[in-house]
Amino acid sequence: MTSAPLRAARPVTSILVAGYGTLTSGIVPHLLSLPDTALTVASRHLTATPDPRATLIHPDAVGTTAPDVIIGCFADDEHSRAFWQHPRTTHVLADHRPACIELSTITPTWAEQWHLLLQDHGALPVECPVTGSRPGAIAGTLTAFLYSSAMDERAERVLGTFTRNRHRFTAPGHPARFKLVYNAWGATILHSLGVYAPLLPPLLGDDSATATEIVTTDGWMSVIASTKLHRIHRDDYSDPDFTATHMAKDLRYARELLGRLPLLECTLKAFEETVKHSGPYVDFTAVAVSDAP
């Protein structure tokens, strides 16, 4: 009897996550759910791996990795540039030509430069700012704003684990531009929630509970009120889903793009006051107690 031919082993997808924080902590378990996947997390502040199935390295050791996919998630342009432009990283890009997914909210200028940088080193850039904060990351339901010059099976496989909706743009930098408008718009609405919600109890007394039920379950305000008003009522801004300091940074980037719009200026001032008085790492709904007008 002739023995059956051996089945070739399925290739392992090697994923490197650079930058570990609120968002990536929710994403990592989804990445580990992929079969035949090896996950490495590069972090300066972690002292132990976030999951025993993942390997923890210091960013200085990135040059020893051979990733098929790199996911970057950074606080701002400065930290994103520091990782992607570092010779250790560019060496990996040139040697292994990975698909590179940049989740950070960055400026359009750096986004466009990032595409050129990665292409020059033979890697595939996938510009991919996301929305949904920590709850979306944990649930695997983040919404992605995408631009890539080509479809890539590796990137699609990875993105499918933690995004539910993926909206594709047609030019580099367009996802970055839209994300800044999107965040500024949403932050302005959130600030208004903090302005108006505290008015209900003194105006309505016992009927303020009915008013709260209305704004959280019915009508156009319910989408944001249902997810944020509970923090304001409980005065609960610790354990952030998204930090006030990151929103303030996003608003400053939005101002660079959009100019000094009155609503944007008012909202940015409120978030800067929140960071000043409540600390940088409170949940961004703490803007509800800002003293800014």
Side-chain angles (χ1 to χ4, degrees):
M1 185 171 77
T2 304
S3 59
L6 293 175
R7 178 180 297 175
R10 293 175 60 186
V12 171
T13 299
S14 176
I15 303 172
L16 171 65
V17 174
Y20 189 81
T22 301
L23 194 68
T24 43
S25 65
I27 288 171
V28 159
H30 297 292
L31 299 175
L32 288 167
S33 71
L34 284 170
D36 306 308
T37 297
L39 180 66
T40 300
V41 175
S43 171
R44 294 189 180 279
H45 66 271
L46 285 180
T47 58
T49 178
D51 189 287
R53 297 168 292 172
T55 300
L56 176 65
I57 63 170
H58 191 274
D60 291 346
V62 163
T64 65
T65 64
D68 302 304
V69 176
I70 302 177
I71 298 173
C73 191
F74 306 101
D76 49 30
D77 277 21
E78 180 181 0
H79 288 85
S80 178
R81 286 181 185 273
F83 174 77
W84 294 109
Q85 292 181 331
H86 198 285
R88 286 187 293 265
T89 305
T90 56
H91 172 78
V92 170
L93 298 179
D95 276 7
H96 302 289
R97 299 176 180 269
C100 299
I101 302 170
E102 176 55 280
L103 301 180
S104 315
T105 300
I106 54 178
T107 63
T109 298
W110 168 231
E112 291 169 356
Q113 293 170 351
W114 178 76
H115 281 275
L116 295 175
L117 172 72
L118 267 64
Q119 289 166 355
D120 285 347
H121 289 88
L124 177 73
V126 181
E127 184 184 348
C128 185
V130 294
T131 189
S133 303
R134 181 175 60 172
I138 292 172
T141 58
L142 292 171
T143 294
F145 311 132
L146 284 166
Y147 173 74
S148 181
S149 60
M151 298 287 285
D152 184 276
E153 183 180 350
R154 299 165 300 174
E156 293 296 315
R157 181 172 182 252
V158 167
L159 287 171
T161 68
F162 60 84
T163 64
R164 178 171 59 190
N165 298 316
R166 295 183 286 282
H167 303 283
R168 300 187 184 275
F169 288 75
T170 63
H174 281 191
R177 287 181 177 85
F178 176 70
K179 180 68 189 304
L180 292 178
V181 173
Y182 184 89
N183 275 13
W185 198 342
T188 301
I189 297 171
L190 181 60
H191 181 214
S192 74
L193 197 69
V195 171
Y196 290 102
L199 302 178
L200 297 179
L203 286 173
L204 299 174
D206 291 342
D207 282 335
S208 64
T210 300
T212 297
E213 180 182 1
I214 293 168
V215 298
T216 56
T217 63
D218 196 3
W220 64 271
M221 288 191 295
S222 62
V223 174
I224 188 166
S226 63
T227 58
K228 303 302 179 187
L229 198 58
H230 66 283
R231 278 193 185 263
I232 296 171
H233 284 164
R234 297 199 310 257
D235 198 28
D236 173 20
Y237 308 116
S238 61
D239 191 23
D241 292 327
F242 188 71
T243 65
T245 191
H246 285 146
M247 182 55 82
K249 178 270 298 183
D250 292 353
L251 291 169
R252 286 190 290 270
Y253 284 175
R255 183 170 64 182
E256 292 177 19
L257 177 67
L258 304 172
R260 293 180 176 270
L261 302 176
L263 279 175
L264 178 54
E265 287 296 296
C266 177
T267 304
L268 174 56
K269 182 179 179 182
F271 274 95
E272 289 178 337
E273 288 294 314
T274 298
V275 170
K276 179 180 178 181
H277 295 296
S278 300
Y281 300 113
V282 295
D283 189 80
F284 67 139
T285 52
V287 73
V289 295
S290 167
D291 291 330

